Amino acid sequence: MKRLLLCTMFVAALLLIAYHPVYPTKKLGPAAAAAIRKGKTTRYQVKALLGTPQFVERQVPLRRTPETESLPAKYLASEQWTYWTYSRHGSATAKPGVKPARFFIVVFFDAQGTVLDCETELED
């Protein structure tokens, strides 16, 4: 009985974590990403520019050493915010079989809350 209850609680927790509604973001696009400056823009400024991120990932960053300086920001970041939006051609009035395009912005922050890097991707 305890095992069933624990399994049920685990599945419920997993579903709550996996379900993340997509909130509309402010001004999400290439121009917004271009306004984010490495080493200058802060978490508060990114939130004011893009709104609440759809996904936040926190991690323990690798320590900076001469060997790690050349690593991508995703390994040196203590926090990563991800934003995405779908194009309009994925709406109910779209042609059958046409998949919506998605635009992603991923922002990497250091422990002080300053942007380490910002990546964008258009997925058709």
Side-chain angles (χ1 to χ4, degrees):
M1 184 65 173
K2 281 185 179 181
R3 186 175 250 171
L4 178 62
L5 180 62
L6 285 173
C7 286
T8 304
M9 289 175 55
F10 175 76
V11 170
L14 188 61
L15 289 173
L16 285 174
I17 291 170
Y19 174 73
H20 199 327
V22 177
Y23 300 105
T25 56
K26 301 191 250 180
K27 308 172 203 150
L28 186 60
I36 298 171
R37 302 280 178 224
K38 297 177 191 178
K40 303 232 184 257
T41 309
T42 66
R43 279 188 198 113
Y44 301 108
Q45 291 168 324
V46 171
K47 193 169 186 177
L49 180 67
L50 302 176
T52 303
Q54 282 100 335
F55 183 74
V56 175
E57 182 179 351
R58 290 176 182 84
Q59 64 186 20
V60 176
L62 294 176
R63 289 179 170 236
R64 288 188 180 246
T65 64
E67 295 83 29
T68 62
E69 288 298 323
S70 62
L71 288 175
K74 66 181 175 182
Y75 298 114
L76 303 172
S78 63
E79 197 165 286
Q80 171 183 328
W81 289 8
T82 305
Y83 297 87
W84 62 85
T85 187
Y86 291 94
S87 67
R88 293 196 184 275
H89 70 263
S91 68
T93 60
K95 294 178 185 173
V98 176
K99 293 171 62 176
R102 294 187 293 178
F103 182 73
F104 292 91
I105 297 178
V106 182
V107 186
F108 302 95
F109 296 97
D110 63 15
Q112 290 74 36
T114 305
V115 172
L116 288 172
D117 199 5
C118 178
E119 297 177 357
T120 61
E121 180 182 344
L122 179 62
E123 185 180 90
D124 287 326

